[in-house]
Amino acid sequence: MPSTDWRSPAAYAHAKSISAAGFAWEYLRRDEDYRRDFHRVRRLPRLDSDAQTAFSERWGVRFPDRPDSRRRPGCAILDAVAAA
């Protein structure tokens, strides 16, 4: 989670120029339930497609394509820690 003071207008000046998806990501990555679910799914075996599908449907995100994956190529998972 970013250490930015969420009450400071200067901390969010960039929000005026980001896309709707970017704004949604800024909101989502701060959600404790999302972060908890992400870390739970991240610890599962890569072949657990049912858990990945449930996570993706709940949060509206997609996992990256892997050689053993049945997912669409070019998709990225949203990792709150990596984006912070």
Side-chain angles (χ1 to χ4, degrees):
M1 175 93 156
S3 61
T4 306
D5 180 2
W6 63 268
R7 294 167 286 200
S8 168
Y12 291 94
H14 72 284
K16 293 179 181 178
S17 62
I18 60 176
S19 67
F23 186 81
W25 170 236
E26 288 296 323
Y27 183 84
L28 179 63
R29 72 187 183 108
R30 289 165 173 79
D31 186 285
E32 288 300 320
D33 291 334
Y34 169 82
R35 294 164 61 91
R36 189 174 17 263
D37 279 359
F38 172 78
H39 290 294
R40 180 186 55 78
V41 169
R42 187 175 182 189
R43 289 188 300 267
L44 296 174
R46 293 188 185 262
L47 297 177
D48 190 342
S49 61
D50 291 338
Q52 290 178 355
T53 298
F55 176 85
S56 296
E57 289 175 357
R58 177 176 185 194
W59 296 106
V61 296
R62 295 182 212 123
F63 286 86
D65 190 38
R66 297 183 184 99
D68 62 341
S69 175
R70 290 179 235 136
R71 311 244 181 262
R72 292 183 287 174
C75 299
I77 188 166
L78 302 177
D79 182 350
V81 175

